[in-house]
Amino acid sequence: MGLGDIRYEDIIAATEEFRDLGRDSFLERYHFGRATSYEMVLDGLRYDSKAIVGVAHGYATGDFLSSRDFSGGAATVARRLRELGFVVETGETPRDRMALLERLLHLKVSRGPGNPAPSHHQPLSLLWAISREADERPRMIPWSQFRDEVGPLLIEFGLPNAKATPEYPFWHLRGSGLWEVQGVPTEPAKKMPKVSSLDAHNPLAGFTEEAAGLLRDPVTRLDAMATICETYLEDVDRQALFERIGMAGYTTAGSLWSPSEHEGSGAGLDEYGRATGPAPRRDTTRSLIVRDEALARKVKELESDRCQICGTVLRYLNRPYSQAAHIRGLGRPHHGPDELQNLLCLCANCHVLFDGLEIYVDSDGLVRGTRGGSESRPLRRDPRHPVDEAHLGYHRSLCTINARKPAVD
């Protein structure tokens, strides 16, 4: 039994049947149990990885696999799904993921004379490369592109008075064990090529296949970003950095509108700056994630429309009003699941604060402010409302990497 025949479209077909039948009926039809470790996450929904691959194999070859046909175990299934570009998550921390984070924690960064701070060159280069993985762009980058894109980044976010030398991280990141360089006409043991040689041969560099595969997982990716930021970039404005490298999605936990999107809309103004006439309109096309409205109603019913953070019960049109807030956001870059364990019932104000990373829930279940000074309060929770600590931990990591100094547990 091989999984190489399975194509991307076969997996999509299996997920469509999964949604049409419902999880329990799908698993019963194809004789699978619920996943105990690996789950595939697609558009905010979670799928049992073995069952999806077994049915996808049937679409590809006509031979539908059952759970006993997977001699290689769930890890082999997860590997094939990741090869096809899908996100696979596990509740455990695999050894290879721990090894990746350990390597990031011990980069061989230089320190300038009289400046004890670690150089930003390798950390900034890695974050830039991680942004490419998040966008699913090619992992190997030509030297000329690396030089032109990373060079200005080193000037903008490097240490004061430090020279921008992109050739150093391009070559020396190999020492991390997570990076490779291809196309340089010299043995790896020899000294770094001159810039003129890099310009002449334009070699490729990027994460190893193994590291790139691990970084396609949203949880591992966020952990890697947090490790880099907290270890090497404590003095850097992370929000500005994330905006600069195309990772603005990591500056919020949800999909908050930027005020700039609503400014300068073209409305006529009088001499006092007041709008004249009706507000203008414009046509837009948006791709929206389809949320399970039944889940939203369920969490509101369980919590009686009372905000789990501040305890407020709002009323609108003489009816209780609350919002179902995802702890780990749906869609890119967070790819959170649309499930009850990933939902909180919040008032509009606390929802904005939570998505804007102004408040978080610590490991003891207390709601705290990321800027300090505010009094902590317990997160209200109905016993029938399960909340996954892993999602709360993901949100805490977002809060941490967006702070100038660590502010959360």
Side-chain angles (χ1 to χ4, degrees):
M1 183 277 300
L3 304 182
D5 293 326
I6 299 174
R7 301 161 299 176
Y8 179 90
E9 53 266 33
D10 300 320
I11 299 294
I12 295 299
T15 61
E16 290 174 351
E17 184 177 355
F18 184 104
R19 293 195 303 272
D20 289 342
L21 293 177
R23 184 179 198 176
D24 291 338
S25 297
F26 182 87
L27 296 177
E28 182 179 357
R29 169 180 285 189
Y30 292 105
H31 310 293
F32 283 91
R34 289 199 171 216
T36 57
S37 54
Y38 294 91
E39 288 186 311
M40 188 183 87
V41 181
L42 178 64
D43 294 334
L45 298 178
R46 304 178 83 87
Y47 301 86
D48 304 85
S49 58
K50 275 190 178 181
I52 289 296
V53 168
V55 174
H57 191 271
Y59 279 113
T61 67
D63 180 17
F64 288 83
L65 305 178
S66 65
S67 58
R68 60 180 178 272
D69 294 320
F70 292 93
S71 58
T76 302
V77 172
R79 188 179 306 115
R80 180 54 181 158
L81 286 169
R82 286 170 176 150
E83 289 172 353
L84 293 171
F86 294 97
V87 173
V88 182
E89 294 184 0
T90 175
E92 302 175 351
T93 303
R95 290 184 179 179
D96 50 3
R97 177 179 160 195
M98 293 177 64
L100 179 142
L101 299 178
E102 186 69 17
R103 289 178 182 274
L104 291 176
L105 193 62
H106 295 96
L107 295 176
K108 297 177 181 179
V109 296
S110 61
R111 298 177 187 271
N115 189 345
S119 168
H120 291 178
H121 280 39
Q122 289 193 32
L124 289 172
S125 300
L126 288 173
L127 282 178
W128 175 82
I130 288 174
S131 74
R132 294 178 55 84
E133 290 298 332
D135 287 341
E136 300 177 1
R137 287 182 282 175
R139 69 181 179 89
M140 299 301 289
I141 310 111
W143 154 247
S144 57
Q145 182 180 356
F146 185 95
R147 176 196 62 208
D148 294 344
E149 295 186 16
V150 174
L153 197 66
L154 302 182
I155 296 175
E156 188 174 351
F157 295 97
L159 290 174
N161 303 319
K163 293 182 179 179
T165 52
E167 63 272 18
Y168 282 94
F170 183 86
W171 179 257
H172 288 299
L173 271 172
R174 296 179 312 132
S176 68
L178 305 172
W179 190 264
E180 61 179 313
V181 179
Q182 300 174 358
V184 175
T186 183
E187 293 298 323
K190 293 185 178 180
K191 63 181 181 180
M192 189 186 84
K194 295 181 178 179
V195 174
S196 58
S197 177
L198 295 176
D199 289 341
H201 297 284
N202 202 26
L204 301 175
F207 285 115
T208 63
E209 288 189 11
E210 180 182 6
L214 290 169
L215 290 167
R216 293 188 192 108
D217 171 56
V219 176
T220 302
R221 188 162 61 238
L222 180 61
D223 284 346
M225 292 169 60
T227 299
I228 293 170
C229 289
E230 291 305 296
T231 307
Y232 310 102
L233 303 175
E234 183 178 355
D235 56 338
V236 171
D237 184 337
R238 286 106 183 247
Q239 293 186 351
L241 172 59
F242 294 160
E243 290 274 359
R244 175 70 171 75
I245 61 178
M247 302 181 80
Y250 285 96
T251 61
T252 73
S255 303
L256 293 179
W257 287 97
S258 169
S260 62
E261 296 181 18
H262 302 287
E263 295 172 357
S265 59
L269 302 176
D270 64 15
E271 59 182 310
Y272 302 105
R274 296 174 299 193
T276 60
R281 296 178 179 274
R282 63 182 177 187
D283 294 330
T284 63
T285 301
R286 298 176 62 197
S287 176
L288 300 176
I289 294 174
V290 179
R291 298 176 48 169
D292 189 339
E293 295 300 330
L295 282 176
R297 289 193 298 269
K298 180 68 173 178
V299 72
K300 294 177 184 182
E301 291 171 1
L302 289 174
E303 302 295 345
S304 302
D305 288 294
R306 184 179 298 277
C307 179
Q308 290 181 251
I309 291 176
C310 70
T312 300
V313 178
L314 297 176
R315 298 193 69 82
Y316 178 70
L317 297 179
N318 203 31
R319 293 181 180 178
Y321 175 80
S322 61
Q323 296 179 351
H326 285 89
I327 302 168
R328 178 178 157 196
L330 303 185
R332 291 185 179 182
H334 309 303
H335 294 291
D338 193 17
E339 62 183 14
L340 187 61
Q341 294 90 334
N342 190 34
L343 284 173
L344 295 177
C345 177
L346 302 179
C347 68
N349 185 57
C350 288
H351 193 174
V352 169
L353 293 175
F354 190 83
D355 277 2
L357 308 179
E358 297 291 334
I359 54 178
Y360 68 98
V361 182
D362 71 11
S363 56
D364 294 322
L366 297 176
V367 180
R368 300 181 182 273
T370 55
R371 301 177 188 273
S374 60
E375 184 178 350
S376 62
R377 65 188 78 179
L379 179 72
R380 297 179 62 260
R381 192 181 309 178
D382 187 280
R384 299 167 296 169
H385 176 195
V387 175
D388 193 331
E389 170 58 29
H391 299 321
L392 292 174
Y394 184 95
H395 183 269
R396 286 197 295 273
S397 293
L398 280 176
C399 292
T400 297
I401 65 171
N402 279 278
R404 281 293 190 94
K405 294 182 179 179
V408 300
D409 297 346

